Amino acid sequence: MTHATTPMTVGELARAAQVPAHVVRYYARIGLLHPTRHPYNGYKLFSPSESRRIQFIRQAQTLGFSLSEIADIFAQGAVGHSPCPRVRDILKQRIEANRKKLDELASLQSRMEAALEKWAAMPDGVPDGESVCHLIEST
Amino acid sequence: MTHATTPMTVGELARAAQVPAHVVRYYARIGLLHPTRHPYNGYKLFSPSESRRIQFIRQAQTLGFSLSEIADIFAQGAVGHSPCPRVRDILKQRIEANRKKLDELASLQSRMEAALEKWAAMPDGVPDGESVCHLIEST
DNA sequence: TCGACGATGACGTCGCGTCAAGGTAA
DNA sequence: ATTACCTTGACGCGACGTCATCGTCG
């Protein structure tokens, strides 16, 4: 062995995995990481392999997985099942959901751009009892 | 006058403005609506014109305005300033921000679709100590 | 008297960011 | 003794949704 695999504290793991320390604490709190405890001072102690776990979490997040879905994936593996079928399913749903969101945002973008263009020719209004802002009310 | 403009309760206003009643309460709580109080039972009492206010809020929301921005618009009008310049500014920012979000989601969509395609040719893995899910790890 | 409506309040969503108050390590 | 780190906890975000518990109206 060229280097020992000694347990790491929150800060050490955070540096190793390139995430803020309180994110490590958050992941531990919601059960994504499983630290042991230092018997004297109560510090959380992580196996260095938890760093790979964090990498996995961040990678899954870039694919649109939520933390609870990631927890689900871990849970599948922990009872000896392959998480892969679920992973494929979730991704398919995410792709559909994201498609919808993209459409919504594109539609919002159109509405906003159309409004801005229309407003270009309209004067500012002074506030009165009937109208709040005729720009918005005109859309 | 063909009809009286009597004050309305939460439920009446909610029906008139086509929004859930607790949304009316929420708007009142954060200061977007200004009910008076029935002196005996404490019920919130809204002027029928509050219905137009709610319509304005919902219309502004479809243009991407947040409730705090809408509150800001109301506040401008309340002190006699035209809210229009601010409204134009906010919309320009929203358009830029939404452009970024659209790009992010489009990029996410590409990553997800690329992953799904790549995974089509890959078998499911069994869990072992080294890997959680090679599908995700392969991306 | 009862059922629909009113009131207030708290808690959940999601993934953290940001204090605060205190104990520990080097 | 200082300073950087550790602990737990609570609160904020946005715009509501969903109880729970209670008072009121018709």
Side-chain angles (χ1 to χ4, degrees):
Chain A
M1 296 310 222
T2 55
H3 58 277
T5 58
T6 57
M8 311 164 80
T9 65
V10 166
E12 287 164 353
L13 179 58
R15 271 187 295 280
Q18 307 266 56
V19 296
H22 67 259
V23 168
V24 170
R25 292 199 183 89
Y26 178 63
Y27 288 172
R29 197 164 66 221
I30 65 175
L32 287 178
L33 300 176
H34 303 291
T36 59
R37 292 303 185 135
H38 189 294
Y40 298 138
N41 59 23
Y43 283 17
K44 294 180 183 72
L45 294 178
F46 299 88
S47 149
S49 71
E50 299 285 67
S51 179
R52 291 209 313 266
R53 225 172 148 83
I54 293 178
Q55 295 311 318
F56 180 87
I57 294 168
R58 303 304 260 201
Q59 185 60 34
Q61 281 184 310
T62 70
L63 285 176
F65 287 79
S66 74
L67 293 185
S68 68
E69 287 165 345
I70 294 167
D72 202 36
I73 293 167
F74 284 147
Q76 290 290 303
V79 295
H81 299 350
S82 171
C84 299
R86 189 158 307 197
V87 165
R88 296 178 200 272
D89 277 354
I90 294 173
L91 194 68
K92 283 177 197 161
Q93 288 176 239
R94 277 279 165 282
I95 287 174
E96 273 190 60
N98 200 54
R99 175 89 261 141
K100 280 189 189 175
K101 193 120 199 175
L102 271 169
D103 290 347
E104 283 171 24
L105 288 196
S107 148
L108 171 60
Q109 192 75 353
S110 299
R111 285 197 304 278
M112 292 194 297
E113 285 171 353
L116 198 62
E117 198 167 341
K118 180 173 185 187
W119 293 353
M122 294 172 65
D124 290 357
V126 287
D128 62 4
E130 296 179 38
S131 158
V132 178
C133 172
H134 60 173
L135 300 181
I136 283 173
E137 285 152 353
S138 75
T139 59
Chain B
M1 296 306 225
T2 57
H3 57 275
T5 57
T6 56
M8 312 164 80
T9 64
V10 166
E12 287 163 355
L13 179 58
R15 269 188 297 280
Q18 307 265 56
V19 298
H22 65 260
V23 168
V24 171
R25 292 200 183 89
Y26 177 63
Y27 289 173
R29 195 165 67 221
I30 65 175
L32 287 179
L33 301 176
H34 304 290
T36 59
R37 291 304 184 134
H38 189 294
Y40 298 140
N41 58 25
Y43 283 18
K44 294 180 181 74
L45 295 177
F46 299 89
S47 151
S49 70
E50 299 285 67
S51 178
R52 290 209 313 267
R53 224 173 148 81
I54 293 178
Q55 295 311 318
F56 180 87
I57 294 168
R58 303 302 260 202
Q59 186 60 35
Q61 281 185 309
T62 70
L63 286 176
F65 287 79
S66 74
L67 293 186
S68 68
E69 286 164 346
I70 295 168
D72 201 37
I73 293 167
F74 284 147
Q76 289 292 303
V79 295
H81 300 348
S82 171
C84 299
R86 190 158 307 199
V87 164
R88 296 178 199 273
D89 277 355
I90 293 173
L91 195 69
K92 282 178 198 161
Q93 289 176 238
R94 277 281 165 283
I95 287 174
E96 274 190 59
N98 201 53
R99 175 90 261 139
K100 279 190 190 175
K101 193 122 197 172
L102 272 170
D103 290 347
E104 283 172 23
L105 288 196
S107 148
L108 171 59
Q109 192 77 350
S110 299
R111 284 198 304 278
M112 291 194 296
E113 285 171 353
L116 198 63
E117 198 168 343
K118 180 174 185 188
W119 294 353
M122 293 171 66
D124 290 357
V126 287
D128 62 5
E130 296 179 40
S131 157
V132 178
C133 172
H134 60 172
L135 299 181
I136 285 173
E137 285 153 353
S138 76
T139 60

